[in-house]
Amino acid sequence: MSDELEQLYQTTYTAVVRFLYRKVWDADRAEDLAQEVFVRALAHRPDKPRAWVFAVAANLARDEARAAVRRKRHLTLLKGDPAALPTVPPAADEVVENDERKAAVKRALDALTPRDQEVLLLWDAGLSYPEIATQTGLAVGAVGTTLARARRRLIDAHERDAAGDHAAHS
Amino acid sequence: MRHIPEEELHAYIDQALSRSQCVEIESHIAACANCRAARDSIAALRDRTTSLLAALAPAPRIAPSFQVVQARHAAATVDRRHRARVAAWAASIVLAAGVGYGTHALLDPPFEEHKATSTAMLPAPIMLTPLLAAPAAGMAAAAPHPVPAPFNSTLVSATPAASVAASASAAASPPAVSRAAGKHRTRSRAIPARIAGQDSATPKPRPAESVSLLAGFSPAEPATVELSSLGFPKSGADLDLDGIWRTVSWDNAQSEAGEQPARINGLPVVQVQVQQSRASGKPLMVVAQQLESGDVIRTIEGSVADVSQLLARRPATPAESLGRTTSVRRGSRMLVITGDLPSDSLRAMIGRLNAGPIHSLDDVAAPTRSPARSHLLLPRDRRW
């Protein structure tokens, strides 16, 4: 079993980190939480580890967010906003461009309902429709519908945002 | 000619459809220019989404080796065991007071109609069970007095039938028990303080809404485990339960229960805890599951005696309550759903239990080896 988990770790670690990053917006935190997820997987030996791992990740991220709010550390979340964070020190204008793009996509993602966001991010993390269905409580058939809507809205929001930007700068 | 709906095309592109569905779609697309164009545009939409989302990623880093994870796991296990041991000592002092309090209700005469029931339900003599966790500290501070000696003798005389089961001084109780107990000679178990929904002159008056057994709903189909996801329950949720609990993996839970642990179909399992039952063979099992909203629901399954005891526990502060509760009987086993939800939501969940055939009220009333029918308490619409 440990072999299975190790293999899962190798194949999905990056996706888990990314999934978490999109919730906590802090690369270090995301890595730490991802580690924690796999530590727990070792403790619990779940039946369907792949889906399990993302469910746990979502829970941890949610707890994290709640704890932060409770302790009135709202600023931490804002500080983690990609628009403000240079992740590597490249050339100055490259930084700005990357972060702007990130911020724009983040804004577009925020335009979705939490349910649509969740389904979209789970799919992007590599989960199958049945896995997404169980995780979110949707019927399998509804996953397709939700993804269809989520994708459209993401693109639309992003395009509107970009258009707005151009209007402002022109 | 029916065109393919958008969501179906998304599912198709995502390879989420069955082979036969795909064949159907492909043959339609071959003949229909509209749907061909739709498919292409949806494929483009999906790719665009992927590339947008790709921007939302942290700087790529090399994953630490798996050994790091294993080491962390090993460290966490040691830590947890140590903490549990420390907590058990602190908590056993608390229980001394708690037990005394809990048994006051026992001394009140039960209502006539349920008299037989309450006697029959009384299990073995009271046994001190070590509690777990931080709330213990609060309780100890609040009620430091040792259990009054009179309670002991009164108890024995009130339940001559039950004291027969004196043999039940079962599981090892840690040395702390005898230390804290002081005046206690007997090992005792807290007897369910309320039976049959009546609320006689107990020290703390509580409105108890009795819920009769849910009769006549169809037995839940035994389901395979679709998802066994375990995360961490809401902070503090771990500490609600009396006694020594082991957190187990899903596999272990299945082998310990001898069957799949009772739980609600379709919700991710957050944690499974197990406690050896003093009375019967099968262990007491608690499965915590998480809703979309983040709320944790617990399904507790065990012998009637064990579960009643658990429910009778009084928390130290309102925060550590079991939330609302609803329950049902299956012969000599009892199933309880607890959670911070409205009672009727919890009741509805009973219908989604995977726990096999649920006896109706009539079944339970039929003569069987199990005790006579009784109405079980719950739910409470107020936190304990």
Side-chain angles (χ1 to χ4, degrees), chain B residues 334-352:
Chain B
M334 188 163 143
L335 252 160
V336 171
I337 315 264
T338 89
D340 197 6
L341 289 186
S343 314
D344 43 12
S345 299
L346 290 178
R347 260 179 249 158
M349 301 232 171
I350 291 220
R352 291 173 63 190

Side-chain angles (χ1 to χ4, degrees), chain B:
Chain B
M1 176 164 59
R2 174 197 90 109
H3 290 295
I4 306 174
E6 193 191 347
E7 58 267 19
E8 235 176 271
L9 282 174
H10 279 264
Y12 169 68
I13 299 269
D14 289 337
Q15 294 169 325
L17 295 180
S18 71
R19 192 66 225 137
S20 61
Q21 287 171 302
C22 288
V23 166
E24 230 183 273
I25 289 183
E26 277 152 18
S27 61
H28 174 94
I29 282 183
C32 172
N34 267 335
C35 288
R36 212 158 35 238
R39 180 208 52 194
D40 292 342
S41 105
I42 282 174
L45 184 74
R46 189 184 82 143
D47 294 342
R48 183 115 176 76
T49 307
T50 307
S51 85
L52 276 188
L53 288 177
L56 294 182
R61 301 183 197 183
I62 305 175
S65 91
F66 193 58
Q67 264 109 17
V68 173
V69 175
Q70 285 171 315
R72 223 167 119 160
H73 164 62
T77 312
V78 168
D79 195 34
R80 216 177 309 142
R81 284 202 213 112
H82 171 75
R83 268 188 277 131
R85 215 176 303 130
V86 167
W89 284 76
S92 56
I93 299 169
V94 171
L95 184 66
V99 160
Y101 186 60
T103 54
H104 279 194
L106 183 63
L107 308 182
D108 296 319
F111 288 164
E112 281 308 314
E113 58 196 283
H114 296 292
K115 188 153 187 179
T117 304
S118 40
T119 315
M121 266 195 74
L122 289 176
I126 300 192
M127 181 149 52
L128 285 172
T129 329
L131 291 167
L132 204 61
M139 242 178 114
H145 56 273
V147 178
F151 124 71
N152 253 340
S153 47
T154 324
L155 175 64
V156 167
S157 64
T159 65
S163 64
V164 166
S167 55
S169 317
S173 84
V177 165
S178 42
R179 232 204 339 176
K183 300 183 187 184
H184 275 270
R185 297 293 161 196
T186 45
R187 305 253 176 102
S188 8
R189 173 192 297 160
I191 302 241
R194 355 172 69 79
I195 299 163
Q198 89 280 13
D199 193 346
S200 41
T202 49
K204 215 184 221 170
R206 288 199 254 144
E209 193 190 303
S210 73
V211 175
S212 59
L213 294 175
L214 300 169
F217 55 81
S218 52
E221 266 140 20
T224 54
V225 178
E226 304 140 60
L227 172 71
S228 109
S229 64
L230 296 171
F232 211 73
K234 277 164 134 177
S235 57
D238 224 12
L239 314 176
D240 284 349
L241 303 173
D242 229 7
I244 301 245
W245 292 87
R246 291 177 292 120
T247 298
V248 297
S249 72
W250 187 253
D251 293 337
N252 287 347
Q254 276 194 243
S255 53
E256 291 205 39
E259 65 199 3
Q260 287 192 1
R263 73 191 186 284
I264 298 163
N265 274 331
L267 293 179
V269 170
V270 166
Q271 191 180 50
V272 182
Q273 292 172 292
V274 168
Q275 183 183 68
Q276 277 319 110
S277 165
R278 271 155 210 91
S280 63
K282 273 174 79 175
L284 192 54
M285 197 154 295
V286 177
V287 176
Q289 293 174 276
Q290 187 155 30
L291 300 178
E292 255 289 283
S293 59
D295 290 306
V296 172
I297 301 272
R298 280 192 183 77
T299 307
I300 308 174
E301 207 261 342
S303 72
V304 172
D306 288 338
V307 178
S308 309
Q309 171 195 346
L310 193 69
L311 296 177
R313 173 190 170 273
R314 284 157 172 74
T317 72
E320 293 113 38
S321 69
L322 282 177
R324 298 183 187 110
T325 322
T326 192
S327 80
V328 71
R329 275 275 297 275
R330 294 157 66 198
S332 62
R333 311 282 293 173
M334 188 163 143
L335 252 160
V336 171
I337 315 264
T338 89
D340 197 6
L341 289 186
S343 314
D344 43 12
S345 299
L346 290 178
R347 260 179 249 158
M349 301 232 171
I350 291 220
R352 291 173 63 190
L353 279 173
N354 80 323
I358 312 276
H359 297 298
S360 70
L361 178 59
D362 295 329
D363 284 353
V364 173
T368 60
R369 279 183 300 123
S370 52
R373 66 180 175 86
S374 57
H375 290 267
L376 297 164
L377 217 169
L378 330 155
R380 294 178 176 186
D381 276 321
R382 198 181 65 153
R383 285 182 171 218
W384 294 40

Side-chain angles (χ1 to χ4, degrees), chain A residues 15-162:
Chain A
V16 175
V17 171
R18 205 168 51 219
F19 180 75
L20 283 165
Y21 176 76
R22 289 161 182 181
K23 293 187 184 289
V24 301
W25 298 114
D26 180 328
D28 290 327
R29 240 7 239 142
E31 294 253 3
D32 194 52
L33 288 175
Q35 291 275 310
E36 182 60 29
V37 167
F38 284 98
V39 167
R40 289 182 191 195
L42 278 174
H44 293 112
R45 304 281 176 193
D47 249 9
K48 303 257 177 97
R50 211 162 72 112
W52 187 97
V53 152
F54 285 98
V56 174
N59 295 344
L60 287 182
R62 186 178 2 220
D63 289 348
E64 176 110 336
R66 283 185 182 158
V69 165
R70 243 185 283 128
R71 289 182 224 130
K72 300 208 161 71
R73 283 213 231 119
H74 198 55
L75 287 175
T76 306
L77 294 177
L78 294 177
K79 219 176 72 173
D81 192 287
L85 249 190
T87 47
V88 269
D93 46 7
E94 203 185 308
V95 169
V96 169
E97 195 185 284
N98 274 348
D99 291 338
E100 263 182 22
R101 180 168 163 78
K102 251 187 187 168
V105 180
K106 181 171 185 293
R107 278 197 300 272
L109 188 62
D110 284 340
L112 269 48
T113 66
R115 164 66 57 84
D116 287 359
Q117 274 185 44
E118 190 71 6
V119 171
L120 192 59
L121 292 180
L122 285 172
W123 164 76
D124 194 59
L127 292 190
S128 68
Y129 275 36
E131 284 169 336
I132 295 176
T134 324
Q135 160 79 344
T136 54
L138 289 170
V140 176
V143 175
T145 317
T146 310
L147 270 178
R149 182 178 59 237
R151 285 165 173 162
R152 280 219 178 277
R153 286 201 182 152
L154 185 77
I155 306 291
D156 287 348
H158 185 255
E159 267 160 26
R160 255 179 293 131
D161 191 273

